[in-house]
Amino acid sequence: MARLFIFGIGGTGSRIIKALTMLMASGIEVPNTSEIVPIIIDPDAQNGDMTRTVEILNDYQKIYDAIEHTQNGFFKTKITTLKKLAEQSGTANVALAETFQYNINGTKEGRFREFIDYSLLDETNKALVDLLYPEHLLNLSLDEGFKGNPNIGAVVLNQFKYSNELKQFANLFQTGDRIFIISSIFGGTGAAGFPLLLKNLRNADATELANHKLIQDAPIGAVTVMPYFGVEPKAGGMI
């Protein structure tokens, strides 16, 4: 049977993967799927939804490995990380972490202005950037997410196309494997990440991703969540 690679983008992606993991634990199974491989993309390292989901996924793995599996029992479907899947196939990338959550290079303890090397721009390009991004957005701390600014998220998340995680995913992709993308449409991370990821998967060529033709032709499903909560504005806040 085929593998299902699930990309969960931002807090909404984590929430839905958490719910899916609970369903898998109760014995629900995805038809024609041998393994589920969650890939959580979220620059906000302190996001409670993300950290709780990763903990639940780790617990699921431990229980799955410890019990016998029956046709009608709990924990029937295997959930695994990219690294473990790579180790099974003998193609593990030493730079790949044993985790379900993957960071974007340049977002840890950095501001947007540093990410785009603002200080190195010439005067003309600085003027253009100043026109597009006011000072408070240039100073946005990237390790806390994009705070409802998909224009910043689009710039930062596009770096995922160069990541070890995406390259390892492509190396492992086989005929029959499927892809599912989960995001929101009202935040900064999900609204920016979904179209970028889809574009990179569908338009990649042999110089960018291995098995690019298989990925281009693979079934890709998605769920994009509309606003389901509100945030009260606060004085001096980003939103």
Side-chain angles (χ1 to χ4, degrees):
M1 290 188 290
R3 286 87 57 89
L4 176 61
F5 294 88
I6 301 181
F7 291 88
I9 305 175
T12 297
S14 290
R15 285 190 179 105
I16 295 179
I17 288 177
K18 179 175 69 175
L20 175 65
T21 306
M22 297 295 190
L23 289 173
M24 299 297 101
S26 69
I28 301 297
E29 58 184 329
V30 179
N32 302 316
T33 299
S34 60
E35 289 180 278
I36 292 177
V37 187
I39 302 171
I40 299 174
I41 304 170
D42 193 345
D44 185 358
Q46 304 304 315
N47 186 338
D49 290 311
M50 184 269 293
T51 55
R52 284 189 293 269
T53 298
V54 170
E55 289 175 2
I56 289 170
L57 288 167
N58 288 331
D59 289 342
Y60 185 104
Q61 274 192 316
K62 293 174 184 176
I63 296 171
Y64 179 92
D65 292 339
I67 66 174
E68 294 183 6
H69 304 96
T70 64
Q71 186 63 30
N72 298 313
F74 301 142
F75 298 88
K76 287 189 293 185
T77 303
K78 186 175 182 179
I79 296 178
T80 191
T81 63
L82 270 179
K83 184 164 187 175
K84 284 187 177 178
L85 195 63
E87 289 172 346
Q88 294 167 14
S89 67
T91 61
N93 186 325
V94 293
L96 205 62
E98 176 51 50
T99 181
F100 291 99
Q101 185 265 336
Y102 304 100
N103 295 310
I104 307 297
N105 290 337
T107 60
K108 284 188 176 180
E109 300 178 357
R111 297 177 297 168
F112 183 57
R113 66 166 59 245
E114 294 153 358
F115 185 87
I116 62 174
D117 291 326
Y118 180 85
S119 62
L120 302 180
L121 298 177
D122 59 34
E123 292 305 314
T124 301
N125 283 315
K126 279 185 179 179
L128 176 61
V129 170
D130 290 340
L131 181 66
L132 297 173
Y133 301 101
E135 188 69 18
H136 71 280
L137 290 184
L138 285 173
N139 289 323
L140 182 68
S141 177
L142 297 181
D143 61 356
E144 298 176 353
F146 307 122
K147 298 186 181 297
N149 294 286
N151 55 332
I152 290 179
V155 174
V156 176
L157 292 176
N158 201 44
Q159 299 304 306
F160 187 65
K161 67 187 293 186
Y162 307 111
S163 68
N164 290 318
E165 291 79 22
L166 190 61
K167 291 175 182 177
Q168 187 70 79
F169 152 78
N171 289 335
L172 293 168
F173 203 83
Q174 299 176 355
T175 301
D177 288 346
R178 293 163 292 168
I179 302 166
F180 201 85
I181 304 171
I182 306 166
S183 66
S184 71
I185 201 171
F186 61 94
T189 306
F194 171 47
L196 282 173
L197 177 59
L198 186 61
K199 180 191 73 173
N200 289 330
L201 294 177
R202 286 304 196 202
N203 298 336
D205 58 32
T207 64
E208 297 175 322
L209 292 179
N211 299 314
H212 70 285
K213 186 60 177 174
L214 287 178
I215 295 171
Q216 288 175 354
D217 296 339
I220 299 181
V223 58
T224 300
V225 181
M226 297 289 284
Y228 54 94
F229 66 87
V231 178
E232 289 293 332
K234 60 180 180 180
M238 295 294 297
I239 52 176

